[in-house]
């Protein structure tokens, strides 16, 4: 067992954190060596098993990420932008694979993560599922095949608790469409419409976000022209698909050189 890659879960008490704990504990290919929570969490000092209704796992929840990562080969991180930037620097110090599922990262955050990737393996994706990453590749291919007579809209839906919009997955799809069409994403993106907006500008990539209930994740890429529409769709019904993908990324990164990677690399698409 001790020769299996040791995994630290950041944000261990969160919705995704608990699923990640479960995925690692149940995996025959990895072992849990750390569980990190924010300072002041009620779980600090308790065994991580309480988070998933298991007997003691022999791993104590801590608010000291450096201590946790010192004995790890990978950290899986679905937390917040500020925490992820901190973890990126610490994972680089520990030479641990840093798997990032955090969304809402700003350009300054991405620059700091890029700097950390000079010394460590960073796998970052807006979505860790196989299906979504296949959808991303399909989106790029369809966008490359169709000209700007086809308007592109990204429509995404998530649960009421999600704090950022558009979702990281939606942005990943929009960026794939822009790459396929050979345009600059940031110049062509239109995020939401309200009021008298005027006619749609040719070639733009639009975003719409739905928030409600317990929607796990729904993403449509709409290509709409006069007389016809093409819709590419992915619907997630179980968050465990993200946990499984993140663990796959952590294991995949064990023999890679420092740098930034994504799930397309992990899945060999």
């Amino acid at each position: 067992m001790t020769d299996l890659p040791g995994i630290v879960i950041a944000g261990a008490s969160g919705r995704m954190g608990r699923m990640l704990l479960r995925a690692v504990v149940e995996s025959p290919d990895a072992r849990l060596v750390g569980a990190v929570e924010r300072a002041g969490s009620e779980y600090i000092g308790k065994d991580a098993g309480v988070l998933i209704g298991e007997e003691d796992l022999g791993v104590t929840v801590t608010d000291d990420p450096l201590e946790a990562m010192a004995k790890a080969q990978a950290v899986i991180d679905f937390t917040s932008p500020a925490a992820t930037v901190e973890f990126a620097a610490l994972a680089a110090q520990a030479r641990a694979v840093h798997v990032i599922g955090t969304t809402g990262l700003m350009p300054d955050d991405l620059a700091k993560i890029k700097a950390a990737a000079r010394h460590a393996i960073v796998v970052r994706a807006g979505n860790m599922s196989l299906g979504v990453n296949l959808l991303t590749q399909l989106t790029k291919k369809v966008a490359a095949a169709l000209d700007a007579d086809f308007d592109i809209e990204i429509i995404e839906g998530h649960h009421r608790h999600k704090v950022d919009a558009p979702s990281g997955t939606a942005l990943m799809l929009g960026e794939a469409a822009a790459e396929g069409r050979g345009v600059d994403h940031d110049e062509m993106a239109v995020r939401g419409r309200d009021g008298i907006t005027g006619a749609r500008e040719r070639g733009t990539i639009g975003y719409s976000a739905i928030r409600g209930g317990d929607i796990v994740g729904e993403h449509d890429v709409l290509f709409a022209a006069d007389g016809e529409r093409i819709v590419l769709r992915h619907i997630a019904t179980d968050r465990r698909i993200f946990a499984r993908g993140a663990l796959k990324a952590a294991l995949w990164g064990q023999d890679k050189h420092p740098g930034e990677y994504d799930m397309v690399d992990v899945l060999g698409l």
Side-chain angles (χ1 to χ4, degrees):
M1 284 290 289
T2 55
D3 60 344
L4 296 177
I7 312 292
V8 169
I9 303 303
S13 73
R15 183 185 292 110
M16 273 305 304
R18 293 172 191 248
M19 290 188 179
L20 289 162
L21 285 173
R22 172 76 61 187
V24 174
V25 168
E26 294 180 351
S27 172
D29 302 314
R31 58 194 173 94
L32 183 70
V33 297
V36 177
E37 256 304 320
R38 67 189 183 282
S41 168
E42 63 182 294
Y43 296 105
I44 301 299
K46 296 181 180 180
D47 188 273
V50 303
L51 296 170
I52 55 173
E54 294 286 345
E55 297 294 330
D56 284 358
L57 300 175
V59 173
T60 301
V61 180
T62 180
D63 58 3
D64 185 347
L66 181 58
E67 178 187 13
M69 291 183 202
K71 53 192 174 185
Q73 282 71 56
V75 55
I76 305 178
D77 172 9
F78 285 67
T79 57
S80 67
T84 291
V85 168
E86 177 187 356
F87 295 148
L90 296 176
Q93 288 181 42
R95 299 297 189 266
V97 176
H98 188 190
V99 178
I100 300 174
T102 303
T103 58
L105 295 162
M106 302 303 288
D108 285 351
D109 302 324
L110 296 174
K112 291 173 183 175
I113 292 168
K114 186 178 186 67
R118 291 199 295 265
H119 307 287
I121 298 95
V122 175
V123 182
R124 183 179 65 84
N127 193 298
M128 297 286 175
S129 86
L130 171 61
V132 161
N133 283 278
L134 287 171
L135 177 62
T136 301
Q137 296 304 298
L138 290 170
T139 297
K140 182 163 64 174
K141 288 182 179 296
V142 174
L146 303 175
D147 63 21
D149 286 341
F150 280 81
D151 299 321
I152 302 175
E153 287 284 316
I154 315 294
I155 305 105
E156 56 100 343
H158 284 87
H159 53 88
R160 64 169 67 94
H161 302 293
K162 187 167 179 61
V163 298
D164 59 306
S167 69
T169 302
L171 291 170
M172 186 168 72
L173 293 167
E175 288 164 359
E179 183 179 351
R181 187 163 278 181
V183 298
D184 183 275
H185 171 265
D186 292 343
E187 290 182 3
M188 304 309 294
V190 176
R191 302 192 183 191
R193 301 179 182 90
D194 184 52
I196 307 302
T197 62
R200 180 191 179 107
E201 184 178 342
R202 190 173 190 269
T204 53
I205 298 172
Y207 289 92
S208 298
I210 298 164
R211 296 291 178 267
D214 62 352
I215 300 171
V216 173
E218 299 180 2
H219 294 86
D220 287 358
V221 184
L222 169 67
F223 296 86
D226 293 345
E228 61 181 329
R229 287 175 289 172
I230 300 167
V231 181
L232 305 178
R233 170 173 289 181
H234 180 271
I235 298 175
T237 58
D238 189 334
R239 287 184 179 83
R240 284 179 292 185
I241 64 173
F242 310 130
R244 290 195 296 266
L247 179 56
K248 182 180 180 71
L251 298 175
W252 174 88
Q254 292 304 306
D255 60 354
K256 301 303 181 291
H257 296 294
E260 288 187 279
Y261 302 90
D262 58 23
M263 285 301 289
V264 173
D265 297 312
V266 173
L267 299 169
L269 297 175

